[in-house]
Amino acid sequence: MSRLWDKGQPVDDLVLRYTVGDDHVLDGRLVAYDVRASSAHAEMLRDAGYLSTEDCTALTTTLQTLADEHADGQWTIALEEEDCHTALENRLTERLGDIGGRIHLGRSRNDQVLAALRLYLADAVVWMMDGARGVITALDGLASDQGEIPLPGYTHLQRAMPSSVALWAGGFRSEIQDDVAGLAFTMNRIARNPLGSAAGYGVPVLDLDREGTRAALDFQTVHEPVTAVQLSRGKAESHVVFELTLLMQDVGRLAADLCLFASQEFAFVQLPNAFTTGSSIMPQKRNPDVFELVRARAAQIPADLQAILAVTQKMTSGYHRDLQLIKPPLFRALDTTEATLAVMGRALPNVRFNADRTSAAMDSGMYATERAYRLVRDEGIPFREAYRRVASNDG
Ligand code: ARG
């Protein structure tokens, strides 16, 4: 099985390995999405009169079988095939003969990869939102079970004003909710139908129905003009990973608080043993590695964003193979975020606040602003005078 563009001349093995990179492995997650897009394309060709009903049925049924077999681990994309698009067409031709050669009419791998990626991204964004909602549920659980427990509020890591577990958890909850809303906005860039733009300059001679594949694939709009499609590659990806950066930053800061709270100096929280790790040398240690790694993984998402942006930064218009390198940081950012949200959703309900320790940390200085406000309210004096009186009494 070889490449779609194979014209009989051998490709240097090193060049093949270098140009494909990990793409044949990474594309495993796009197979099911390419099958959806290819089936919509075949049905559109049928409706437009370029494919017989029998051939179309043979193609769509075989595509579905290939998707099922791939999901079942019965085949994988070979390095020699480059990507999922080639692997699917090879197998269609293997099973259907010449009929397999009819599927690629009016398209290119350039619009195919965008269609598969966008369908995948639309699902992935939903997975990320679900994961974030899991963290929100866990934070709500902390607020309802332990919300009354007082907690010092800090500025500059100095005790500032009284807070509580409910207020602390509520802040993160609200920001993560905002991040979910931010992720929903990315659909504007994701849900555009690239099919019919082919290599990037449209389809001559044939009269293809781009609106038909849009409707079949549930895209919001047809991406027009055709020259915009390749210019946009990487932008929906960047938008999603930017939103992941913000989401993971909130989750990372939550984890940073918990690392601090779990130290012996604070001892505001305790984690059950199953959520801590030990030391190879110090028998007494129970470390909050899980939150440390959440913090560190969160910090790596902007590196993935930068890796995506860098690919297209100075590229001229149209398709270039450079674009393939957007996939590794994109998938890495999605995988890291998904795993992190899952572990946070699991660990948070197990965090136990120690009310004795947090209450003991509520020193009288933290109520100084309150005392000043009482003076203003009860005596009608200017705030600055009240501030000075409290400062001299307290000092
Ligand atoms: N794997 C390729 C990518 O991700 C698919 C498109 C290849 N197109 C091409 N003209 N070489 O970009």
Side-chain angles (χ1 to χ4, degrees), residues 109-195:
R109 282 184 298 165
N110 297 355
D111 60 344
Q112 232 187 312
V113 60
L114 266 159
L117 269 171
R118 286 179 183 176
L119 293 173
Y120 167 78
L121 266 181
D123 274 1
V125 163
V126 172
W127 303 330
M128 300 304 124
M129 294 197 292
D130 285 349
R133 289 194 193 101
V135 176
I136 287 174
T137 304
L139 285 166
D140 287 346
L142 282 184
S144 63
D145 298 346
Q146 308 177 63
E148 306 279 279
I149 296 176
L151 203 58
Y154 296 89
T155 69
H156 311 265
L157 258 189
Q158 307 291 309
R159 289 176 186 163
M161 283 206 198
S163 178
S164 65
V165 170
L167 253 182
W168 173 82
F172 284 108
R173 179 220 203 274
S174 165
E175 284 305 305
I176 293 170
Q177 185 64 55
D178 248 11
D179 301 331
V180 171
L183 276 168
F185 282 128
T186 65
M187 287 307 293
N188 294 341
R189 283 190 191 279
I190 294 170
R192 296 178 187 171
N193 184 19
L195 292 181

Coordinates of all heavy atoms in Angstrom, one line a residue, residues 109-195:
R109 N -6.4 16.2 -0.1 CA -6.2 15.9 1.3 C -6.2 17.3 2.1 O -6.4 17.3 3.3 CB -4.9 15.2 1.5 CG -5.0 13.7 1.2 CD -3.7 13.0 1.5 NE -2.7 13.5 0.6 CZ -1.4 13.3 0.8 NH1 -1.0 12.6 1.9 NH2 -0.5 13.7 0.0
N110 N -6.0 18.4 1.4 CA -5.9 19.6 2.1 C -7.2 20.1 2.7 O -7.2 20.6 3.8 CB -5.4 20.7 1.2 CG -3.9 20.5 0.7 OD1 -3.3 19.5 1.1 ND2 -3.4 21.3 -0.2
D111 N -8.3 19.9 2.0 CA -9.6 20.2 2.6 C -10.1 19.0 3.4 O -10.8 19.2 4.4 CB -10.7 20.7 1.6 CG -11.0 19.7 0.5 OD1 -10.2 18.7 0.3 OD2 -12.0 19.9 -0.2
Q112 N -9.6 17.8 3.1 CA -10.0 16.6 3.9 C -9.5 16.7 5.3 O -10.2 16.4 6.3 CB -9.4 15.4 3.2 CG -10.3 14.3 2.9 CD -9.6 13.1 2.4 OE1 -8.8 13.2 1.5 NE2 -9.9 11.9 2.9
V113 N -8.2 17.1 5.4 CA -7.6 17.1 6.8 C -8.3 18.2 7.6 O -8.6 17.9 8.8 CB -6.1 17.3 6.7 CG1 -5.6 18.6 6.1 CG2 -5.5 17.2 8.1
L114 N -8.6 19.3 7.0 CA -9.3 20.3 7.8 C -10.7 19.9 8.2 O -11.2 20.1 9.3 CB -9.5 21.6 6.9 CG -8.3 22.6 7.2 CD1 -8.1 23.5 6.1 CD2 -8.6 23.3 8.5
A115 N -11.4 19.1 7.3 CA -12.8 18.7 7.7 C -12.7 17.7 8.9 O -13.4 17.8 9.8 CB -13.4 18.0 6.5
A116 N -11.7 16.7 8.8 CA -11.6 15.8 9.9 C -11.2 16.4 11.2 O -11.7 16.2 12.2 CB -10.6 14.7 9.5
L117 N -10.2 17.4 11.1 CA -9.7 18.1 12.3 C -10.9 18.9 12.9 O -11.0 18.9 14.1 CB -8.6 19.0 11.9 CG -7.2 18.4 12.0 CD1 -6.2 19.4 11.4 CD2 -6.8 18.1 13.4
R118 N -11.7 19.5 12.1 CA -12.7 20.4 12.7 C -13.8 19.5 13.3 O -14.3 19.9 14.4 CB -13.3 21.3 11.6 CG -12.3 22.4 11.3 CD -12.8 23.4 10.2 NE -11.8 24.3 9.9 CZ -11.9 25.3 9.0 NH1 -12.9 25.3 8.2 NH2 -10.9 26.1 8.8
L119 N -14.1 18.4 12.7 CA -15.1 17.5 13.3 C -14.6 17.0 14.6 O -15.3 16.9 15.6 CB -15.5 16.4 12.4 CG -16.2 16.8 11.1 CD1 -16.4 15.6 10.2 CD2 -17.6 17.4 11.4
Y120 N -13.3 16.6 14.6 CA -12.7 16.1 15.8 C -12.6 17.2 16.9 O -13.0 17.0 18.1 CB -11.2 15.7 15.5 CG -10.4 15.4 16.8 CD1 -10.5 14.3 17.5 CD2 -9.5 16.4 17.2 CE1 -9.8 14.1 18.7 CE2 -8.7 16.2 18.3 CZ -8.9 15.0 19.1 OH -8.1 14.8 20.2
L121 N -12.3 18.5 16.5 CA -12.2 19.6 17.5 C -13.5 19.9 18.1 O -13.6 20.2 19.3 CB -11.7 20.8 16.8 CG -10.1 21.1 16.8 CD1 -9.8 22.4 16.1 CD2 -9.6 21.1 18.3
A122 N -14.6 19.8 17.3 CA -15.9 20.0 17.8 C -16.2 19.1 18.9 O -16.8 19.5 20.0 CB -17.0 19.9 16.7
D123 N -15.9 17.8 18.8 CA -16.1 16.8 19.9 C -15.1 17.1 21.0 O -15.5 17.1 22.2 CB -15.8 15.4 19.4 CG -17.0 14.8 18.7 OD1 -18.0 15.5 18.6 OD2 -16.9 13.6 18.2
A124 N -13.9 17.4 20.7 CA -12.9 17.6 21.8 C -13.2 18.8 22.7 O -13.0 18.7 23.9 CB -11.5 17.8 21.1
V125 N -13.8 19.8 22.1 CA -14.2 21.0 22.9 C -15.3 20.6 23.9 O -15.3 21.0 25.0 CB -14.6 22.1 21.9 CG1 -15.4 23.2 22.7 CG2 -13.4 22.8 21.3
V126 N -16.2 19.7 23.4 CA -17.2 19.2 24.3 C -16.6 18.4 25.5 O -17.0 18.5 26.6 CB -18.3 18.4 23.6 CG1 -19.3 17.7 24.5 CG2 -19.0 19.3 22.6
W127 N -15.6 17.6 25.1 CA -14.9 16.8 26.2 C -14.3 17.7 27.2 O -14.3 17.4 28.4 CB -13.8 15.8 25.6 CG -14.3 14.9 24.6 CD1 -15.6 14.3 24.5 CD2 -13.6 14.4 23.4 NE1 -15.7 13.5 23.4 CE2 -14.5 13.5 22.7 CE3 -12.3 14.5 22.9 CZ2 -14.1 12.8 21.6 CZ3 -11.9 13.9 21.8 CH2 -12.8 13.0 21.1
M128 N -13.6 18.8 26.7 CA -12.9 19.7 27.6 C -14.0 20.4 28.5 O -13.8 20.6 29.7 CB -12.2 20.8 26.8 CG -11.1 20.2 25.9 SD -9.9 19.2 26.7 CE -10.0 17.7 25.8
M129 N -15.1 20.8 27.9 CA -16.1 21.5 28.7 C -16.7 20.5 29.8 O -16.9 20.9 30.9 CB -17.2 22.0 27.8 CG -16.7 23.1 26.9 SD -18.0 24.1 26.1 CE -18.8 23.0 25.0
D130 N -16.9 19.3 29.4 CA -17.4 18.3 30.4 C -16.4 18.1 31.5 O -16.8 18.0 32.7 CB -17.6 16.9 29.7 CG -18.8 16.9 28.8 OD1 -19.6 17.9 29.0 OD2 -19.0 16.0 28.1
G131 N -15.1 18.0 31.2 CA -14.0 17.9 32.2 C -14.0 19.1 33.1 O -13.9 18.9 34.4
A132 N -14.2 20.3 32.6 CA -14.2 21.5 33.4 C -15.4 21.5 34.3 O -15.3 21.9 35.5 CB -14.2 22.7 32.5
R133 N -16.5 21.0 33.8 CA -17.7 20.9 34.6 C -17.6 20.0 35.8 O -18.1 20.1 36.8 CB -19.0 20.6 33.7 CG -19.4 21.7 32.8 CD -20.8 21.5 32.2 NE -21.0 22.4 31.1 CZ -20.9 22.1 29.8 NH1 -20.6 20.9 29.5 NH2 -21.1 23.0 28.9
G134 N -16.8 18.9 35.5 CA -16.4 18.0 36.6 C -15.7 18.7 37.7 O -16.0 18.4 38.9
V135 N -14.8 19.6 37.4 CA -14.0 20.3 38.4 C -15.0 21.3 39.1 O -14.9 21.4 40.3 CB -12.9 21.1 37.8 CG1 -12.1 22.0 38.8 CG2 -11.9 20.1 37.1
I136 N -15.9 21.9 38.3 CA -16.9 22.8 39.0 C -17.8 22.0 40.0 O -18.0 22.5 41.1 CB -17.8 23.4 37.8 CG1 -17.0 24.5 37.1 CG2 -19.0 24.0 38.4 CD1 -17.6 25.1 35.9
T137 N -18.2 20.9 39.6 CA -19.0 20.1 40.5 C -18.2 19.8 41.8 O -18.8 19.8 42.9 CB -19.4 18.7 39.8 OG1 -20.1 19.1 38.6 CG2 -20.3 17.9 40.7
A138 N -16.9 19.4 41.6 CA -16.1 19.1 42.8 C -16.0 20.4 43.7 O -16.0 20.3 44.9 CB -14.8 18.6 42.4
L139 N -15.8 21.5 43.1 CA -15.7 22.8 43.8 C -17.0 23.1 44.6 O -17.0 23.5 45.7 CB -15.3 23.9 42.9 CG -13.8 23.9 42.4 CD1 -13.6 24.9 41.3 CD2 -12.9 24.3 43.6
D140 N -18.1 22.9 43.9 CA -19.4 23.1 44.5 C -19.5 22.1 45.7 O -20.1 22.5 46.8 CB -20.5 22.8 43.5 CG -20.6 23.9 42.5 OD1 -20.0 25.0 42.7 OD2 -21.3 23.8 41.5
G141 N -19.0 20.9 45.6 CA -19.1 19.9 46.7 C -18.3 20.4 47.9 O -18.7 20.4 49.0
L142 N -17.1 21.0 47.6 CA -16.3 21.5 48.7 C -17.0 22.7 49.4 O -17.0 22.8 50.6 CB -14.9 22.0 48.1 CG -13.8 21.1 47.8 CD1 -12.6 21.8 47.4 CD2 -13.5 20.2 49.0
A143 N -17.6 23.5 48.6 CA -18.3 24.7 49.1 C -19.5 24.2 50.0 O -19.8 24.8 51.0 CB -18.8 25.6 48.0
S144 N -20.2 23.2 49.5 CA -21.4 22.9 50.3 C -21.0 22.0 51.5 O -21.7 22.1 52.6 CB -22.5 22.2 49.4 OG -22.0 21.0 48.9
D145 N -20.0 21.2 51.4 CA -19.6 20.4 52.6 C -18.8 21.1 53.6 O -18.9 20.8 54.8 CB -18.8 19.1 52.1 CG -19.6 18.2 51.2 OD1 -20.9 18.4 51.1 OD2 -19.0 17.4 50.5
Q146 N -17.9 22.0 53.1 CA -16.9 22.6 54.1 C -16.9 24.1 53.9 O -16.0 24.7 54.5 CB -15.5 22.0 53.8 CG -15.5 20.5 53.7 CD -14.1 20.0 53.4 OE1 -13.1 20.2 54.1 NE2 -13.9 19.3 52.3
G147 N -17.9 24.6 53.2 CA -17.9 26.1 52.9 C -17.8 27.0 54.1 O -17.2 28.1 54.0
E148 N -18.4 26.6 55.2 CA -18.4 27.5 56.4 C -17.0 27.7 57.0 O -16.9 28.6 57.8 CB -19.3 26.9 57.5 CG -20.7 26.5 57.0 CD -21.6 27.7 56.9 OE1 -22.2 28.1 58.0 OE2 -21.7 28.3 55.8
I149 N -16.1 26.8 56.7 CA -14.8 26.8 57.4 C -14.1 28.1 57.0 O -14.0 28.4 55.9 CB -14.0 25.6 57.0 CG1 -14.6 24.3 57.5 CG2 -12.5 25.7 57.5 CD1 -13.9 23.0 57.1
P150 N -13.7 28.9 58.1 CA -13.0 30.2 57.8 C -11.7 29.9 57.1 O -11.0 28.9 57.4 CB -12.9 30.8 59.1 CG -13.0 29.7 60.1 CD -13.8 28.6 59.5
L151 N -11.3 30.8 56.3 CA -10.0 30.7 55.6 C -9.4 32.1 55.5 O -10.1 33.1 55.1 CB -10.2 30.2 54.2 CG -9.1 29.4 53.5 CD1 -8.6 28.2 54.2 CD2 -9.7 29.0 52.1
P152 N -8.2 32.3 55.9 CA -7.6 33.7 55.7 C -7.6 34.0 54.2 O -7.3 33.1 53.4 CB -6.2 33.6 56.2 CG -6.1 32.3 57.0 CD -7.2 31.4 56.5
G153 N -7.9 35.2 53.8 CA -7.7 35.7 52.5 C -6.3 36.4 52.4 O -6.0 37.1 53.3
Y154 N -5.6 36.1 51.4 CA -4.2 36.6 51.3 C -4.0 37.6 50.2 O -4.6 37.4 49.1 CB -3.2 35.5 51.1 CG -3.1 34.5 52.2 CD1 -4.0 33.4 52.2 CD2 -2.3 34.7 53.2 CE1 -3.9 32.5 53.2 CE2 -2.2 33.7 54.3 CZ -3.1 32.6 54.3 OH -3.0 31.8 55.3
T155 N -3.2 38.6 50.4 CA -2.7 39.4 49.3 C -1.2 39.4 49.6 O -0.8 39.5 50.7 CB -3.2 40.8 49.2 OG1 -2.7 41.6 50.3 CG2 -4.7 40.9 49.2
H156 N -0.4 39.3 48.5 CA 1.1 39.2 48.7 C 1.5 38.0 49.6 O 2.5 38.1 50.2 CB 1.7 40.5 49.3 CG 1.2 41.8 48.6 ND1 1.9 42.4 47.6 CD2 0.1 42.5 48.8 CE1 1.3 43.5 47.2 NE2 0.2 43.6 47.9
L157 N 0.6 37.1 49.7 CA 0.8 35.9 50.6 C 0.9 36.4 52.0 O 1.4 35.6 52.9 CB 2.1 35.1 50.2 CG 1.8 33.8 49.5 CD1 3.1 33.0 49.3 CD2 0.8 32.9 50.1
Q158 N 0.4 37.6 52.3 CA 0.2 38.0 53.7 C -1.2 38.0 54.1 O -2.1 38.3 53.2 CB 0.7 39.5 53.9 CG 2.1 39.7 53.3 CD 3.2 39.1 54.1 OE1 3.3 39.2 55.4 NE2 4.1 38.3 53.5
R159 N -1.5 37.7 55.3 CA -2.9 37.6 55.7 C -3.6 39.0 55.4 O -3.0 40.0 55.8 CB -3.0 37.3 57.2 CG -2.7 35.9 57.5 CD -2.7 35.6 58.9 NE -2.2 34.2 59.2 CZ -1.8 33.8 60.3 NH1 -1.8 34.6 61.4 NH2 -1.4 32.5 60.5
A160 N -4.7 39.0 54.8 CA -5.4 40.2 54.4 C -6.7 40.4 55.0 O -6.9 41.3 55.8 CB -5.4 40.3 52.9
M161 N -7.7 39.6 54.6 CA -9.0 39.7 55.1 C -9.6 38.3 55.3 O -9.2 37.4 54.7 CB -9.9 40.5 54.1 CG -9.6 41.9 54.1 SD -11.1 42.7 53.4 CE -10.5 44.3 53.0
P162 N -10.7 38.3 56.1 CA -11.3 37.0 56.3 C -12.0 36.4 55.0 O -12.6 37.2 54.3 CB -12.4 37.2 57.4 CG -12.4 38.6 57.6 CD -11.3 39.3 56.9
S163 N -11.8 35.2 54.8 CA -12.5 34.5 53.7 C -13.0 33.2 54.2 O -13.1 33.0 55.4 CB -11.5 34.3 52.5 OG -12.1 33.7 51.4
S164 N -13.4 32.3 53.3 CA -13.9 31.0 53.7 C -13.7 30.0 52.6 O -13.4 30.4 51.5 CB -15.4 31.2 54.0 OG -16.1 31.4 52.8
V165 N -13.9 28.8 53.0 CA -13.7 27.7 51.9 C -14.7 28.0 50.8 O -14.4 27.9 49.6 CB -13.9 26.3 52.5 CG1 -13.9 25.3 51.5 CG2 -12.7 26.0 53.5
A166 N -15.9 28.4 51.2 CA -16.9 28.7 50.1 C -16.5 29.8 49.2 O -16.7 29.7 48.0 CB -18.3 29.0 50.8
L167 N -16.0 30.9 49.8 CA -15.5 32.0 48.9 C -14.4 31.6 48.0 O -14.3 32.0 46.9 CB -15.1 33.2 49.8 CG -16.1 34.4 49.9 CD1 -15.4 35.4 50.8 CD2 -16.4 34.9 48.5
W168 N -13.4 30.9 48.7 CA -12.2 30.5 47.9 C -12.6 29.6 46.8 O -12.3 29.8 45.6 CB -11.3 29.7 48.9 CG -10.1 29.1 48.3 CD1 -8.9 29.7 47.9 CD2 -10.0 27.7 48.0 NE1 -8.1 28.7 47.4 CE2 -8.7 27.5 47.4 CE3 -10.8 26.6 48.1 CZ2 -8.2 26.2 47.0 CZ3 -10.4 25.3 47.7 CH2 -9.1 25.2 47.1
A169 N -13.4 28.5 47.0 CA -13.9 27.6 46.0 C -14.7 28.3 45.0 O -14.7 28.0 43.8 CB -14.6 26.4 46.6
G170 N -15.6 29.3 45.4 CA -16.5 30.0 44.6 C -15.8 30.8 43.5 O -16.2 30.9 42.4
G171 N -14.7 31.4 43.9 CA -13.9 32.2 42.9 C -13.4 31.3 41.8 O -13.6 31.7 40.6
F172 N -12.8 30.2 42.1 CA -12.3 29.3 41.1 C -13.5 28.8 40.2 O -13.4 28.7 39.0 CB -11.5 28.1 41.7 CG -10.2 28.5 42.1 CD1 -9.9 28.6 43.5 CD2 -9.2 28.8 41.2 CE1 -8.6 29.0 43.9 CE2 -7.9 29.1 41.6 CZ -7.6 29.2 43.0
R173 N -14.6 28.4 40.9 CA -15.7 27.9 40.2 C -16.2 28.9 39.1 O -16.5 28.5 38.0 CB -16.9 27.7 41.2 CG -18.1 27.2 40.6 CD -19.3 27.8 41.1 NE -20.4 26.8 40.8 CZ -21.0 26.8 39.6 NH1 -20.8 27.7 38.7 NH2 -22.0 25.9 39.4
S174 N -16.3 30.1 39.5 CA -16.8 31.1 38.6 C -15.9 31.3 37.4 O -16.3 31.5 36.3 CB -17.0 32.4 39.4 OG -17.2 33.5 38.5
E175 N -14.6 31.4 37.7 CA -13.6 31.6 36.6 C -13.6 30.4 35.6 O -13.5 30.5 34.4 CB -12.2 31.8 37.1 CG -12.0 33.2 37.7 CD -12.4 34.3 36.6 OE1 -11.9 34.3 35.5 OE2 -13.3 35.1 36.9
I176 N -13.7 29.2 36.2 CA -13.7 28.0 35.3 C -15.0 27.9 34.5 O -15.0 27.6 33.3 CB -13.5 26.7 36.2 CG1 -12.1 26.7 36.8 CG2 -13.8 25.4 35.4 CD1 -11.8 25.7 37.8
Q177 N -16.1 28.4 35.1 CA -17.4 28.5 34.3 C -17.2 29.5 33.1 O -17.6 29.2 32.0 CB -18.4 29.1 35.3 CG -19.8 29.1 34.7 CD -20.4 27.8 34.3 OE1 -20.4 26.9 35.1 NE2 -20.7 27.6 33.0
D178 N -16.4 30.6 33.4 CA -16.1 31.5 32.3 C -15.3 30.9 31.2 O -15.4 31.2 30.0 CB -15.3 32.7 32.9 CG -16.1 34.0 32.8 OD1 -17.3 33.9 32.6 OD2 -15.5 35.0 33.1
D179 N -14.3 30.0 31.6 CA -13.5 29.3 30.7 C -14.3 28.4 29.8 O -14.0 28.2 28.6 CB -12.4 28.5 31.4 CG -11.5 29.4 32.3 OD1 -11.3 30.6 31.9 OD2 -11.0 28.9 33.3
V180 N -15.3 27.8 30.4 CA -16.2 26.9 29.6 C -16.9 27.8 28.6 O -17.0 27.4 27.4 CB -17.3 26.2 30.6 CG1 -18.3 25.5 29.8 CG2 -16.6 25.2 31.5
A181 N -17.4 28.9 29.0 CA -18.0 29.8 28.0 C -17.0 30.2 26.9 O -17.4 30.3 25.7 CB -18.6 31.1 28.7
G182 N -15.8 30.4 27.3 CA -14.8 30.8 26.3 C -14.6 29.7 25.3 O -14.4 29.9 24.1
L183 N -14.6 28.4 25.8 CA -14.4 27.3 24.9 C -15.6 27.2 23.9 O -15.4 26.9 22.7 CB -14.3 26.0 25.7 CG -13.0 25.6 26.3 CD1 -13.1 24.5 27.3 CD2 -12.0 25.2 25.1
A184 N -16.8 27.6 24.4 CA -18.0 27.5 23.5 C -17.8 28.5 22.3 O -18.2 28.2 21.2 CB -19.2 27.8 24.3
F185 N -17.1 29.6 22.6 CA -16.9 30.6 21.5 C -16.1 30.0 20.4 O -16.1 30.5 19.2 CB -16.3 31.8 22.0 CG -17.2 32.8 22.8 CD1 -16.9 33.2 24.0 CD2 -18.4 33.2 22.2 CE1 -17.8 34.1 24.7 CE2 -19.3 34.0 22.8 CZ -19.0 34.5 24.1
T186 N -15.2 29.1 20.7 CA -14.3 28.6 19.7 C -15.0 27.9 18.5 O -14.5 27.7 17.4 CB -13.3 27.6 20.2 OG1 -13.9 26.4 20.7 CG2 -12.5 28.2 21.4
M187 N -16.3 27.5 18.8 CA -17.1 26.8 17.7 C -17.3 27.7 16.5 O -17.4 27.2 15.4 CB -18.5 26.4 18.3 CG -18.4 25.2 19.2 SD -17.5 23.8 18.6 CE -18.6 23.3 17.2
N188 N -17.2 29.0 16.7 CA -17.4 29.9 15.6 C -16.3 29.7 14.5 O -16.6 29.8 13.3 CB -17.2 31.4 16.0 CG -18.4 31.8 16.9 OD1 -19.4 31.2 16.9 ND2 -18.2 32.9 17.7
R189 N -15.1 29.4 15.0 CA -14.0 29.1 14.0 C -14.0 27.7 13.6 O -13.6 27.4 12.5 CB -12.7 29.5 14.7 CG -12.4 30.9 14.7 CD -10.9 31.2 15.1 NE -10.7 32.6 15.4 CZ -10.4 33.5 14.5 NH1 -10.4 33.2 13.2 NH2 -10.2 34.7 14.9
I190 N -14.5 26.8 14.5 CA -14.4 25.4 14.1 C -15.5 25.0 13.1 O -15.2 24.2 12.2 CB -14.6 24.5 15.4 CG1 -13.4 24.7 16.4 CG2 -14.8 23.0 15.1 CD1 -13.7 24.1 17.8
A191 N -16.7 25.5 13.3 CA -17.8 25.0 12.5 C -18.0 25.6 11.1 O -19.1 26.0 10.8 CB -19.1 25.1 13.4
R192 N -16.9 25.6 10.4 CA -17.0 26.1 9.0 C -16.6 24.9 8.0 O -15.6 24.3 8.2 CB -16.0 27.2 8.8 CG -16.4 28.4 9.6 CD -15.4 29.5 9.4 NE -15.6 30.6 10.3 CZ -14.8 31.6 10.5 NH1 -13.7 31.7 9.8 NH2 -15.1 32.5 11.4
N193 N -17.4 24.8 7.0 CA -17.2 23.6 6.1 C -16.0 23.9 5.1 O -16.2 24.7 4.2 CB -18.5 23.3 5.3 CG -18.3 22.1 4.5 OD1 -17.4 21.3 4.7 ND2 -19.2 21.9 3.5
P194 N -14.9 23.2 5.2 CA -13.8 23.4 4.3 C -14.0 22.6 3.0 O -13.3 22.9 2.0 CB -12.6 22.9 5.1 CG -13.2 21.8 6.0 CD -14.6 22.2 6.3
L195 N -14.9 21.6 3.0 CA -15.0 20.7 1.9 C -15.4 21.5 0.6 O -16.3 22.4 0.7 CB -16.0 19.6 2.1 CG -15.5 18.5 3.2 CD1 -16.6 17.4 3.3 CD2 -14.2 17.9 2.8

